[in-house]
Amino acid sequence: MKKSHGLLLAVLGFAFAVNAYAAPGKRAIPACTKQSVSSSTTVPANTVFDGLVKFGKMVCLVGTGKSMAGDQSENQIPHFILEEGATLKNVVLGDPDFGSGRDLKAGGADGVHCSGNCRIENVYWGDVGEDAATLKGPGTMTVTGGAAYKAADKIFQNNGKGGKIVITNFYAEEGGKLYRSCGNCSASKQSARFADISNVTVFNVNHPVLVNSSFNSSKLPGLKDAFDVATIKDLNSNITPVCSGSVGTVSGNEPKDDTNAANVARSCKVSK
């Protein structure tokens, strides 16, 4: 009898371990108290901004004014600027009750800017503004937990030279892209970039992962043999393919789809 109980516990333990790391189902925005914000908050290097500690409850930070309206204007400012080694956790950005559809002026601003290495934990975007979060410098931006809704275009943008974005245990609904490597950064900032995406569910996201599977050799001769790599495991999506490629270029030009299947295959490492 003891052996049977031991075996049952072992099986249950295994099942729990598998479920604990499976891609999440639909994840609702937590109930929150709305608070207007008119300027960016900087989180200093190697410190933590915890919304539950700061406010004593879950708050919805809603940007006001043209620069934080949350549309697709390029002059949007972020809600948060995370300096090297900083962590942001337990907040909601944008007004989740402001209408339906995408490209709403719901105060999402330009989300979060990561200067380099940073962490974003249990953060919800009730309505994604220009982007949800952008890696601006070299390093790794790690996103774990949370969810994003109603993104007109990109959710997570990798602009960091040689940078990497890690996304795990995340849910996204309605958006253009879950992850995008910069398709047309300036020549001095364009580079191969990396993504590590696991245990993620996206619903009605047009291009879940979009990477530069090659670079325009006439514009970027130094990158003629370079390519991004996205390692993707357990990404559930109602739209396929989950990973697509483009030909990276420089500012002033628009990246084109990469029609070379071999290029896309070497950049998109997808598994269950």
Side-chain angles (χ1 to χ4, degrees):
M1 193 68 175
K2 287 183 179 179
K3 285 186 177 180
S4 297
H5 284 170
L7 178 61
L8 177 60
L9 288 172
V11 171
L12 289 173
F14 175 76
F16 178 80
V18 170
N19 291 334
Y21 295 100
K26 182 179 177 70
R27 183 174 282 164
I29 303 296
C32 58
T33 301
K34 294 175 188 177
Q35 179 166 318
S36 297
V37 178
S38 59
S39 61
S40 302
T41 297
T42 297
V43 184
N46 302 313
T47 64
V48 176
F49 184 104
D50 187 332
L52 291 176
V53 173
K54 171 75 173 176
F55 301 104
K57 57 188 174 183
M58 205 70 171
V59 296
C60 232
L61 301 177
V62 181
T64 61
K66 187 176 180 180
S67 65
M68 298 189 82
D71 57 21
Q72 292 300 294
S73 172
E74 291 294 330
N75 64 359
Q76 297 283 292
I77 63 174
H79 273 284
F80 287 92
I81 299 169
L82 307 185
E83 295 186 341
E84 175 67 26
T87 296
L88 172 67
K89 60 196 301 184
N90 299 324
V91 293
V92 180
L93 304 181
D95 187 346
D97 300 322
F98 190 88
S100 60
R102 306 178 187 178
D103 200 15
L104 306 172
K105 295 182 179 181
D110 196 22
V112 180
H113 287 184
C114 245
S115 302
N117 293 301
C118 71
R119 290 186 63 84
I120 301 172
E121 302 177 3
N122 196 42
V123 171
Y124 289 78
W125 288 264
D127 188 301
V128 174
E130 189 181 353
D131 296 319
T134 304
L135 177 60
K136 306 288 283 187
T140 299
M141 180 172 82
T142 300
V143 181
T144 180
Y149 282 79
K150 297 183 281 190
D153 189 14
K154 303 174 295 293
I155 296 175
F156 299 115
Q157 171 81 21
N158 191 346
N159 288 354
K161 189 167 184 177
K164 180 178 183 179
I165 294 182
V166 177
I167 309 166
T168 185
N169 185 26
F170 194 80
Y171 178 81
E173 183 173 320
E174 295 294 339
K177 306 164 189 75
L178 171 71
Y179 169 91
R180 176 62 167 126
S181 289
C182 184
N184 56 356
C185 279
S186 64
S188 63
K189 294 182 179 179
Q190 191 59 286
S191 72
R193 296 177 172 88
F194 306 91
D196 191 342
I197 300 167
S198 61
N199 312 119
V200 169
T201 296
V202 297
F203 182 74
N204 287 354
V205 173
N206 299 348
H207 302 283
V209 178
L210 183 56
V211 295
N212 297 318
S213 46
S214 63
F215 289 90
N216 185 331
S217 58
S218 66
K219 302 287 185 183
L220 295 160
L223 295 176
K224 65 183 181 66
D225 297 319
F227 54 93
D228 295 347
V229 176
T231 303
I232 303 164
K233 185 175 181 180
D234 195 11
L235 191 157
N236 292 336
S237 172
N238 68 323
I239 296 176
T240 57
V242 298
C243 186
S244 306
S246 65
V247 181
T249 185
V250 294
S251 54
N253 299 267
E254 282 301 312
K256 298 179 180 179
D257 292 342
D258 195 337
T259 58
N260 186 318
N263 286 352
V264 177
R266 71 186 182 181
S267 285
C268 294
K269 305 294 186 183
V270 182
S271 65
K272 270 294 189 185

